Amino acid sequence: MSEFPAGTLMDGKRGLIMGVANKNSIAWAIAQQLAAQGAELAFTFQGDKLERRVRPLAESVGSDFLLDCDVTDDDQMEATFKALEDRWGRIDFLVHAIAFAGKDQLDGSFVDQTTRDGFKSALDISAYSFVDAARRGSAIMNDGGAMVTLTYLGSERVVPNYNVMGVAKAALEASTRYIAADLGPRGIRVNAISAGPIKTLAAAGIGSGRHMFRFNKAASAMQDNTDPKGVAGAALYLLSDLGLSCTGEVHHVDGGFHMIGMPQEAPLRASLEE
Ligand code: NAD
Ligand code: 0WE
């Protein structure tokens, strides 16, 4: 069934996956990879509408442990981690794959478009939610556990229209380092994966989508778009004992797009003419 070959790297480990919306979600690729290696999983979903999508996916990896959790709601966050503690006692890992900014914030000029409320909400949902989940999660996490969050290059460099999300991802990456320092003495490792553009719900409907995927393919070292399986593999490394001693890192999985200084001429021309 699974496209991920079976293994034993996560045998005996339990953890929470936050951010599955549907089968295209990056969190779902990660969940399948972890389950194939023996992990026992719990899932949060955002609201009743998404439960209908997430429940069958969870069941396909042997999980009936689903929790409704909007990360802006303190009561739901409290209830989520209480439910984990009640059922499992302790957890071993946490995956955070959540981001949101108002649609009006992700278009045109950053300086003109970014409102106080838009800024607050994007930073709350996309960055503070990891700090909150890390605090609550670490309270019930075994020493030697691990956490991973998902970020994007728009934190380090300007990407048209990514706007306030880039600022939120910069805060998320800095938070990753501060959390990693706090939890380091307990052997808990905290890392971020910086993925290249992937066709998910969160990447759908972005104005310049077609251009972005073509450009990323043409300008990356591997001349291809990012495969979510590579992101899942990186998450497995970081969340298993393969990742020992790696913490506070932002690991790029983007076909080498981030390290190119100037793209090859021929594929770039072709991508612009398409
Ligand atoms: P996705 O739409 O499948 O996942 C985003 C998730 O965020 C959804 O499950 C949604 O329910 C959840 N979410 C949004 N607001 C929430 C809230 N208030 N409370 C609880 N959950 C909330 O898209 P994805 O691309 O898989 O995104 C997962 C992560 O990967 C995000 O952090 C995103 O920024 C990051 N990322 C995506 C790409 C890409 O190109 N798709 C690239 C790099 C990083
Ligand atoms: O992090 C993301 C997307 C996050 C996201 C997406 C949406 C779309 C729908 C956050 N909030 C919203 N709000 C909505 O209303 N990515 C890394 C994917 C992405 O989104 C972009 C990108 C890339 C890449 C937006 C503009 C430019 C590039």
Side-chain angles (χ1 to χ4, degrees):
M1 262 299 281
S2 172
E3 295 177 71
F4 297 90
T8 60
L9 289 168
M10 299 299 288
D11 273 1
K13 293 190 199 287
R14 287 168 164 162
L16 177 64
I17 311 284
M18 308 179 79
V20 179
N22 58 40
K23 66 173 175 27
N24 298 129
S25 294
I26 295 173
W28 175 237
I30 293 171
Q32 289 174 92
Q33 174 66 272
L34 296 173
Q37 292 289 333
E40 197 178 340
L41 303 178
F43 294 85
T44 63
F45 59 89
Q46 183 195 11
D48 299 340
K49 228 187 96 213
L50 287 178
E51 178 171 14
R52 286 201 294 278
R53 297 222 175 275
V54 181
R55 189 167 290 281
L57 295 174
E59 279 170 1
S60 77
V61 293
S63 171
D64 67 350
F65 200 176
L66 278 80
L67 299 158
D68 191 346
C69 184
D70 183 320
V71 295
T72 62
D73 185 323
D74 283 324
D75 295 338
Q76 286 185 28
M77 284 293 284
E78 183 72 29
T80 293
F81 287 88
K82 169 92 164 49
L84 284 172
E85 189 175 20
D86 287 350
R87 176 143 163 192
W88 284 347
R90 313 289 291 175
I91 61 172
D92 301 289
F93 62 89
L94 175 70
V95 174
H96 174 277
I98 287 171
F100 186 81
K103 213 171 175 54
D104 56 312
Q105 305 292 293
L106 297 175
D107 189 30
S109 156
F110 170 73
V111 68
D112 288 336
Q113 293 294 123
T114 308
T115 62
R116 188 187 301 272
D117 282 350
F119 188 99
K120 276 189 190 166
S121 150
L123 274 280
D124 183 23
I125 297 171
S126 313
Y128 181 71
S129 67
F130 185 50
V131 182
D132 198 24
R135 178 171 48 75
R136 297 176 190 278
S138 64
I140 56 166
M141 189 172 278
N142 287 315
D143 290 0
M147 307 181 184
V148 159
T149 188
L150 272 297
T151 187
Y152 174 60
L153 187 66
S155 61
E156 308 169 55
R157 304 230 279 268
V158 172
V159 174
N161 302 323
Y162 200 62
N163 295 3
V164 74
M165 270 307 308
V167 177
K169 291 303 194 189
L172 178 69
E173 291 170 23
S175 300
T176 298
R177 292 184 282 272
Y178 278 89
I179 298 163
D182 285 341
L183 302 182
R186 290 182 48 198
I188 295 176
R189 297 176 298 98
V190 186
N191 294 286
I193 298 172
S194 186
I198 292 172
K199 285 182 178 146
T200 64
L201 199 60
I206 54 174
S208 44
R210 252 165 46 122
H211 171 65
M212 188 183 62
F213 284 103
R214 281 178 185 157
F215 182 83
N216 271 265
K217 180 168 175 169
S220 69
M222 297 185 74
Q223 310 261 294
D224 209 346
N225 281 128
T226 297
D227 190 327
K229 286 201 197 68
V231 178
L236 172 61
Y237 154 68
L238 291 169
L239 294 172
S240 71
D241 292 341
L242 290 177
L244 282 176
S245 294
C246 179
T247 198
E249 188 75 338
V250 179
H251 178 60
H252 293 81
V253 179
D254 65 351
F257 181 89
H258 71 100
M259 60 83 192
I260 294 289
M262 176 170 163
Q264 292 287 340
E265 185 171 357
L268 183 65
R269 276 187 192 285
S271 85
L272 294 173
E273 279 160 14
E274 261 185 78

